[in-house]
Amino acid sequence: LVSLCAPPTAETVRAQFVSQTPYPEISGGEVGAVSIVLRNTGATAWRKGTPQEARLAIAGNDPKLHFLGDGWVAPDRPAAQAEDIVPPGGTATFTFAVKSAVPGTYRLSLRGVVDGGAWMDDLGLFTEITVR
């Protein structure tokens, strides 16, 4: 039996990629959206608004592309789980907005994290934002 209240650790915070929206292409000043769905394959539930909340983070905590963010949780945390609770085996949706006035293509490398516990598996997640 797995406890839904166990403190998260590297052994219990695990994820699997499920799906992702197409890479956004926006004009300068427009806002685009990215959604990524991850399955909780760990042994601990993810709980919104607690130290067990799952988030999408910029890989390596690098905030240099934070200028792309629109309403992000933090400069290096684009999104938090949408669901109140995601038990083991459940899925979480992470949706965030991107914008820019600087034309170019930007690769945003992402990784799941429970800030109160541990990084999730490095799944090679990323999105590319094209600004025209």
Side-chain angles (χ1 to χ4, degrees):
L1 183 63
V2 174
S3 169
L4 296 181
C5 295
T9 66
E11 292 77 37
T12 61
V13 177
R14 311 276 325 255
Q16 178 183 51
F17 176 79
V18 175
S19 66
Q20 178 175 343
T21 55
Y23 302 151
E25 294 185 20
I26 57 177
S27 295
E30 288 183 344
V31 176
V34 175
S35 286
I36 295 176
V37 178
L38 299 178
R39 181 173 317 283
N40 180 352
T41 59
T44 302
W46 303 336
R47 297 174 180 275
K48 189 167 187 70
T50 75
Q52 290 177 292
E53 178 177 78
R55 295 180 174 182
L56 268 188
I58 305 299
N61 293 323
D62 186 351
K64 73 180 175 195
L65 294 177
H66 76 278
F67 69 90
L68 294 169
D70 186 32
W72 288 7
V73 176
D76 58 354
R77 300 289 189 267
Q81 68 187 69
E83 299 76 9
D84 287 334
I85 185 166
V86 180
T91 58
T93 304
F94 302 88
T95 301
F96 59 97
V98 293
K99 66 176 174 141
S100 180
V102 181
T105 299
Y106 305 94
R107 182 183 173 111
L108 196 60
S109 296
L110 302 163
R111 189 168 177 187
V113 66
V114 173
D115 282 324
W119 287 95
M120 294 179 197
D121 302 305
D122 186 349
L123 303 173
L125 296 174
F126 71 93
T127 191
E128 282 189 359
I129 300 105
T130 300
V131 181
R132 293 187 285 282

